[in-house]
Amino acid sequence: MPIKIQSDLPVKEILEKENIFVMDEGRAVHQDIRPIRILILNLMPLKEETELQLLRSLSNTPLQVDVSFMMVATHESKNTATSHLNKFYETFDQVKAHKYDGMIITGAPVEQMEFEEVDYWEELKEIMEWTKTNVTSTIYLCWAAQAGLYYHYGLKKKMMDHKVFGLFRHRVKNRRVPLVRGFDDEFLAPHSRHTEVAAEDIHACDALTILAESEEAGVFLCMAMDGRQIFVMGHPEYDRVTLDGEYKRDKGKGLDIKLPENYYPEDDPDNKPLLLWRAHANNLYTNWLNYYVYQVTPYDMIGTPF
């Protein structure tokens, strides 16, 4: 799939070395096809790392995908250069007059705070409400999934007895739904979180359809509004060494962190982790783009102001 991004986005070179087809605007205008516009609200502190992970995940379909990045205006990012944000990111005020095929809202390292304590919570609520009318389908990842379930359906998160950290096995619950088309009966996916929305609360919400669940990690994937809202409780976009980096970072800080489960061969952090979840992660995003974005959105609706 050709991903259309700004020609000087730093991760472009990495994607091209991985043989991912990346095009800039000059080449895109010569293709006589309808691109689909995806907006990514990046709430992660290491924004360039998350950009790379998500662009990889969006790169496995023949569709032309025009990707834009958004940041919240009510929070100061301390881990990404201001020059990078000013050049490659927009604020909600700059995009809210437009409509998008799809949107991804990332996780954020604020899960142990109450939602109302997060400094950009009011802005995020406005954005989540806006998606109902301006975005065909929105994926909420990890903390954002908990925030979305709380805002849209009143489901509260709770602290867990221990951090859910590592690779966990999930079982597909509703194979007829196109979002999990092509999935094996069971699959692995990464998690890294201290909180959860209880499985029983999600099961009790008639608006939600559960698509994958784990005995150890709870509900992994559910959706509402016929796929206009998709909630992913883990991090399928993580690359091979993301959990490794988190573990060694926290270990270096002297924090009480256990080995990520089912991750290192022989549970030895000196061993290179095996990449065991990429195929299903790619399948998830490909199905989303195809069945819930591209085949649903009217051509004349995309990218136009009201």
Side-chain angles (χ1 to χ4, degrees):
M1 168 193 83
I3 302 174
K4 177 175 170 269
I5 56 178
Q6 288 181 244
S7 60
D8 49 355
L9 188 71
V11 299
K12 181 175 184 285
E13 183 178 350
I14 300 174
L15 293 166
E16 290 174 333
K17 287 180 178 178
E18 296 178 4
N19 293 318
I20 294 174
F21 184 11
V22 182
M23 67 168 59
D24 57 28
E25 187 171 1
R27 183 168 183 179
V29 296
H30 293 291
Q31 293 200 340
D32 189 22
I33 60 176
R34 176 172 82 82
I36 56 177
R37 300 188 67 203
I38 303 298
L39 180 65
I40 297 175
L41 174 56
N42 191 351
L43 301 174
M44 294 294 279
L46 300 176
K47 298 197 185 306
E48 292 184 66
E49 180 179 300
T50 304
E51 292 164 14
L52 180 59
Q53 293 171 356
L54 288 174
L55 290 172
R56 279 196 192 113
S57 297
L58 295 171
S59 68
N60 293 277
T61 165
L63 304 171
Q64 183 188 120
V65 180
D66 183 351
V67 179
S68 301
F69 292 98
M70 182 170 72
M71 61 182 177
V72 288
T74 47
H75 176 79
E76 180 183 354
S77 180
K78 299 178 180 178
N79 297 281
T80 301
T82 302
S83 58
H84 183 86
L85 297 174
N86 290 340
K87 190 170 187 177
F88 300 111
Y89 280 72
E90 297 176 291
T91 63
F92 182 52
D93 283 343
Q94 293 171 304
V95 306
K96 64 183 180 182
H98 296 277
K99 295 179 183 289
Y100 291 85
D101 293 277
M103 183 172 181
I104 298 171
I105 305 178
T106 74
V110 293
E111 60 172 332
Q112 298 188 65
M113 300 171 62
E114 295 296 330
F115 291 118
E116 291 80 5
E117 295 175 355
V118 176
D119 57 6
Y120 52 82
W121 177 245
E122 291 301 318
E123 182 180 3
L124 182 59
K125 288 198 301 181
E126 186 179 0
I127 292 169
M128 290 190 290
E129 186 65 27
W130 171 85
T131 65
K132 294 179 181 179
T133 54
N134 287 63
V135 181
T136 301
S137 178
T138 302
I139 287 183
Y140 296 80
L141 292 174
C142 200
W143 177 82
Q146 297 180 3
L149 289 172
Y150 177 63
Y151 175 73
H152 294 298
Y153 302 103
L155 303 186
K156 297 182 179 180
K157 65 183 173 82
K158 65 176 185 178
M159 289 292 298
M160 305 185 70
D161 295 334
H162 62 279
K163 184 178 183 179
V164 178
F165 187 46
L167 284 180
F168 295 90
R169 188 170 297 278
H170 308 79
R171 177 170 287 273
V172 174
K173 293 294 185 180
N174 201 328
R175 184 165 295 282
R176 293 186 178 184
V177 176
L179 190 61
V180 290
R181 185 166 292 172
F183 275 52
D184 295 329
D185 288 341
E186 294 186 345
F187 64 95
L188 292 168
H191 290 259
S192 179
R193 51 187 169 83
H194 293 89
T195 58
E196 69 168 354
V197 178
E200 56 266 28
D201 292 342
I202 298 175
H203 279 277
C205 181
D206 292 337
L208 297 170
T209 300
I210 296 174
L211 302 178
E213 192 169 6
S214 166
E215 291 185 6
E216 298 83 13
V219 173
F220 172 72
L221 180 64
C222 63
M223 72 179 195
M225 297 175 65
D226 294 326
R228 292 201 60 205
Q229 296 172 340
I230 294 168
F231 304 96
V232 184
M233 308 303 171
H235 283 286
E237 78 284 357
Y238 269 11
D239 62 28
R240 181 193 303 271
V241 296
T242 306
L243 292 176
D244 175 67
E246 291 183 4
Y247 170 71
K248 292 176 179 175
R249 175 200 65 200
D250 290 352
K251 196 76 173 175
K253 292 179 178 179
L255 300 178
D256 183 17
I257 181 71
K258 295 182 179 179
L259 280 173
E261 296 187 44
N262 310 310
Y263 181 59
Y264 295 115
E266 301 176 354
D267 280 340
D268 184 347
D270 291 328
N271 289 334
K272 180 180 180 180
L274 296 177
L275 185 57
L276 301 173
W277 62 93
R278 176 66 58 79
H280 281 88
N282 288 344
N283 200 11
L284 173 65
Y285 283 98
T286 298
N287 286 345
W288 174 61
L289 288 172
N290 185 26
Y291 297 114
Y292 297 91
V293 177
Y294 184 73
Q295 294 191 25
V296 175
T297 312
Y299 180 87
D300 57 1
M301 166 183 172
I302 299 310
T304 57
F306 290 116

